[in-house]
C-alpha cells in the first residue's frame, strides 16, 4: 500500500505517521491491490484534531474524515468509519460481479466559475479541465460509489449498454439518472 501523509498546522511526527499506516493495513483486506491512500492530519485552533483519509484502489474510491480533541482518537475513528464503508460495499457487491475486463472511457470535466466572468463578456470562462475514466458499472454500483465518495453526481459507463450516463442526488435525497437518447 502506498501511503502519502500530509501534516497541516502541526509538526511532522514519525510516530503519528506510522500509527496511521499501521491502522490502514486493517482496511487493506477489504479492497484489491494496488492501493493508494492519502492521509491528511490537521490541527485547528490547537484543540481540534482532524484526520481525513482518501483511499483509491482498483474499482473503488472512498474517503472519510473525523475530528476529536486527540489525533490518535481521530485516526481510530476515521479508520472505523472507512472500515464500515468498505464492509458495506463488499456486502453489496457479493451477489453482483462487475465486468472487470472492459476498460472505462476517458471523459473530460470542465469547471466554470461565476467569479471569473469578465464584465464585458456574459459567458463564463473555463477554469479547470479534468480528465477521468468513466468506469463501466451498473446504476446500483454508481449509487454505492456516490455514497462512498460523498459526491452529488457521478459520470459512468453503463455496463449493459456501454453508454455514458450521469447519476445525481436530488434535493429530496433520491437519485436521478441521465441517459443518452437512443435513436
Amino acid at each position: 500500500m502506498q501511503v502519502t501523509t500530509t501534516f497541516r498546522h502541526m509538526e511532522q511526527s514519525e510516530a503519528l505517521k506510522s500509527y496511521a499506516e499501521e491502522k490502514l493495513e486493517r482496511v487493506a483486506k477489504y479492497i484489491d491491490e494496488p492501493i493508494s491512500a492519502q492521509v491528511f492530519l490537521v490541527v485547528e485552533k490547537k484543540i481540534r484534531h482532524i484526520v481525513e483519509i482518501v483511499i483509491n484502489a482498483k474499482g473503488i474510491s472512498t474517503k472519510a474524515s473525523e475530528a476529536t480533541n486527540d489525533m490518535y482518537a481521530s485516526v481510530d475513528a476515521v479508520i472505523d468509519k472507512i472500515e464500515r464503508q468498505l464492509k458495506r460495499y463488499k456486502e453489496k457487491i457479493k451477489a453482483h460481479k462487475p465486468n472487470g475486463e472492459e476498460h472505462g472511457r476517458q471523459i473530460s470535466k470542465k469547471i466554470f466559475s461565476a467569479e471569473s466572468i469578465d464584465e464585458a463578456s456574459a459567458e463564463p470562462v473555463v477554469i479547470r479541465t479534468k480528465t477521468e475514466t468513466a468506469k463501466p458499472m451498473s446504476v446500483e454500483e454508481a449509487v454505492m460509489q456516490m455514497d462512498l465518495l460523498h459526491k452529488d453526481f457521478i459520470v459512468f459507463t453503463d455496463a449493459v449498454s456501454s453508454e455514458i450516463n450521469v447519476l445525481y442526488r436530488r434535493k429530496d435525497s433520491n437519485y436521478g439518472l441521465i441517459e443518452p437518447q437512443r435513436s
Side-chain angles (χ1 to χ4, degrees):
M1 177 186 307
Q2 179 183 1
V3 179
T4 305
T5 307
T6 304
F7 295 88
R8 292 187 186 142
H9 308 293
M10 63 180 289
E11 301 231 357
Q12 291 187 7
S13 166
E14 193 60 40
L16 201 53
K17 182 178 176 181
S18 62
Y19 184 77
E21 289 175 4
E22 176 185 317
K23 292 294 183 175
L24 277 169
E25 291 300 322
R26 194 170 93 191
V27 299
K29 62 185 174 188
Y30 295 107
I31 43 187
D32 300 326
E33 294 290 336
I35 300 172
S36 70
Q38 295 175 316
V39 180
F40 300 97
L41 305 165
V42 183
V43 175
E44 289 182 352
K45 297 184 180 180
K46 297 183 183 181
I47 58 168
R48 188 165 181 217
H49 299 255
I50 303 168
V51 176
E52 181 177 323
I53 298 178
V54 179
I55 296 177
N56 292 310
K58 183 180 177 186
I60 185 170
S61 297
T62 185
K63 74 175 184 178
S65 65
E66 198 64 47
T68 65
N69 60 356
D70 178 51
M71 192 61 79
Y72 289 96
S74 294
V75 170
D76 290 338
V78 78
I79 291 293
D80 289 341
K81 191 181 278 190
I82 285 181
E83 189 171 25
R84 281 192 307 273
Q85 288 177 354
L86 293 175
K87 277 183 187 177
R88 187 175 68 228
Y89 174 75
K90 282 295 186 183
E91 288 170 3
K92 285 183 178 182
I93 64 169
K94 274 184 184 176
H96 177 74
K97 300 217 180 213
N99 184 2
E101 297 301 315
E102 186 178 344
H103 298 301
R105 292 192 218 169
Q106 293 291 321
I107 58 170
S108 181
K109 295 180 184 177
K110 294 185 179 180
I111 300 166
F112 298 93
S113 173
E115 295 87 23
S116 65
I117 297 174
D118 186 13
E119 295 301 323
S121 168
E123 294 186 26
V125 178
V126 176
I127 299 300
R128 182 180 65 163
T129 301
K130 183 178 179 184
T131 303
E132 289 189 4
T133 302
K135 298 177 184 172
M137 61 180 82
S138 67
V139 175
E140 293 81 21
E141 287 178 284
V143 169
M144 285 189 292
Q145 282 290 326
M146 274 181 49
D147 289 341
L148 286 172
L149 295 172
H150 307 292
K151 292 196 174 192
D152 292 325
F153 73 94
I154 187 168
V155 179
F156 66 99
T157 304
D158 189 319
V160 176
S161 68
S162 297
E163 295 287 338
I164 292 184
N165 293 340
V166 177
L167 182 72
Y168 62 95
R169 191 180 320 274
R170 296 169 40 105
K171 290 181 181 176
D172 62 1
S173 298
N174 290 317
Y175 299 98
L177 179 65
I178 300 173
E179 296 178 304
Q181 183 176 7
R182 292 178 184 88
S183 39

